[in-house]
Amino acid sequence: MAKRIEFSATGGPELLQYGEFTPADPAPDEVQVENKAIGINYIDTYVRSGLYPPASLPSGLGMEAAGIVTKVGSNVTSVKIGDRVAYAQSGVGAYSEVHNVPESRLALLPDEISFEQAAASLLKGLTVYYLFHQTYQIQEGETFLFHAAAGGVGLIACQWAKALGAKLIGTVGSDEKAALAKEAGAWQTINYNDENIVERVLNFTGGEKVSVVYDSVGKATWLDSLDCLKRRGLMVSFGNASGPVTGVDLGLLNQKGSLFVTRPAINGYITTREELNEASKALFDLIASGKINVNVPENQKFPLSEAVKAHQALESRATHGSSLLIP
């Protein structure tokens, strides 16, 4: 028997239940991982709430963790029992003491990367990788706008931008979060509760605006994001923290400068084991070199049994950077 989190109806955090289950043996192309640290991501709240409906109910939750291989399927060749691994995009169910994961979704974990560092960074770091290197190629010296810069993805983005020599303008919700983003590597910050986003971007860029905006907030920042873009700029909408963008008026893109818009997701960019190896190596190399720090504050490490509390903290904006569940 093992412990896990599941839910039988979509809605608020209080619906998450901590209980026992009997783990199945891994399928031929799967590996069973004993989780040592589990990543909490905002997308988990979308699944739990029903914004991204689970395939069936009751359902597990979570798609990122790090741990030790305890069983391997009959067709598995690239990992063995005892290997240290991390995974993301595994399908829901990572909020568990053990989880069966497709071999293709596993990244071997270098000795210098801890389980907690991996679980706190893999999905978020892979997201930053594809955003900065594939959705749009960020150049050294380039200025761009990144919303929610003190969030889990945002703080990695700040550090990654600094490593690239780029100038990230980050939006945040408080002066405390502005300080965190600046410390992580943001070039400038905008407190959207006190400052006008578009006016500040114009000020920072000498009226030039930016070529790309990365927006995981969604509905609340959609129009401001478009107004921060140069002619033929790219709007990258990759999240819905304030609600989804709906009823898009394509004519606005013409009126605001023949703009481009994309709605990417990680499973459109990192789909093969080779792509995962390339992206995870880029992330782990930056962590190992000290250019990206993903250490998690102690008050943002929650026992697996306290997933409800963890989700409440995340959705109340009481956290910064990454949070973890510890089995």
Side-chain angles (χ1 to χ4, degrees):
M1 299 294 285
K3 300 285 190 179
R4 69 178 175 188
I5 296 294
E6 64 178 15
F7 58 104
S8 298
T10 56
E14 69 282 355
L15 294 173
L16 299 178
Q17 299 174 319
Y18 179 64
E20 287 189 336
F21 77 111
T22 302
D25 286 334
D29 295 315
E30 289 184 335
V31 168
Q32 188 166 99
V33 180
E34 180 183 333
N35 291 333
K36 299 298 185 182
I38 301 162
I40 302 172
N41 294 281
Y42 217 91
I43 193 172
D44 300 343
T45 71
Y46 300 160
V47 176
R48 187 212 69 225
S49 70
L51 179 63
Y52 294 174
S56 62
L57 292 171
S59 173
L61 191 61
M63 56 182 63
E64 173 182 42
I68 296 173
V69 174
T70 54
K71 294 182 180 180
V72 298
S74 57
N75 294 338
V76 171
T77 59
S78 64
V79 296
K80 63 184 184 302
I81 292 173
D83 279 349
R84 302 171 74 251
V85 295
Y87 60 88
Q89 309 167 261
S90 64
V92 295
Y95 286 16
S96 180
E97 290 179 340
V98 297
H99 187 43
N100 292 341
V101 182
E103 179 185 15
S104 61
R105 298 303 188 189
L106 287 172
L108 287 169
L109 198 55
D111 290 340
E112 57 267 34
I113 308 297
S114 72
F115 294 122
E116 290 189 359
Q117 286 177 314
S121 68
L122 186 58
L123 185 59
K124 301 172 186 70
L126 296 181
T127 298
V128 176
Y129 175 83
Y130 84 74
L131 290 174
F132 284 7
H133 293 281
Q134 296 176 312
T135 305
Y136 180 94
Q137 186 76 43
I138 293 293
Q139 302 296 320
E140 182 178 358
E142 184 166 16
T143 302
F144 63 98
L145 181 65
F146 199 101
H147 288 290
V153 174
L155 286 179
I156 292 176
C158 290
Q159 296 174 85
W160 207 310
K162 183 178 180 180
L164 292 172
K167 297 179 178 179
L168 181 149
I169 302 171
T171 69
V172 295
S174 69
D175 291 341
E176 177 191 10
K177 290 189 174 184
L180 289 168
K182 289 292 286 287
E183 182 181 356
W187 174 60
Q188 301 286 353
T189 58
I190 301 168
N191 183 341
Y192 54 74
N193 286 317
D194 296 332
E195 300 175 290
N196 181 284
I197 293 172
V198 180
E199 288 179 1
R200 295 299 285 157
V201 168
L202 286 167
N203 178 259
F204 292 141
T205 62
E208 290 291 316
K209 300 187 178 181
V210 296
S211 295
V212 62
V213 174
Y214 295 103
D215 190 339
S216 63
V217 176
K219 183 178 179 180
T221 49
W222 167 250
L223 292 178
D224 281 344
S225 292
L226 296 182
D227 285 334
C228 290
L229 285 167
K230 294 178 180 179
R231 181 166 56 97
R232 298 200 303 273
L234 175 63
M235 167 66 174
V236 183
S237 176
F238 70 102
N240 315 281
S242 68
V245 176
T246 59
V248 175
D249 178 3
L250 291 178
L252 276 178
L253 306 180
N254 170 273
Q255 296 165 23
K256 294 181 182 296
S258 296
L259 303 178
F260 294 86
V261 175
T262 184
R263 182 60 174 87
I266 192 170
N267 56 13
Y269 286 88
I270 301 173
T271 59
T272 67
R273 187 71 185 277
E274 292 73 25
E275 290 168 341
L276 174 60
N277 289 342
E278 178 184 337
S280 61
K281 183 180 187 305
L283 171 65
F284 293 151
D285 285 351
L286 286 170
I287 295 173
S289 71
K291 292 179 179 178
I292 289 182
N293 179 348
V294 290
N295 293 327
V296 177
E298 287 300 321
N299 66 349
Q300 290 178 207
K301 298 176 187 178
F302 301 86
L304 178 59
S305 60
E306 294 184 7
V308 170
K309 184 178 177 181
H311 273 226
Q312 289 170 335
L314 182 65
E315 292 184 294
S316 69
R317 304 294 195 271
T319 64
H320 61 267
S322 300
S323 298
L324 294 174
L325 294 171
I326 307 297

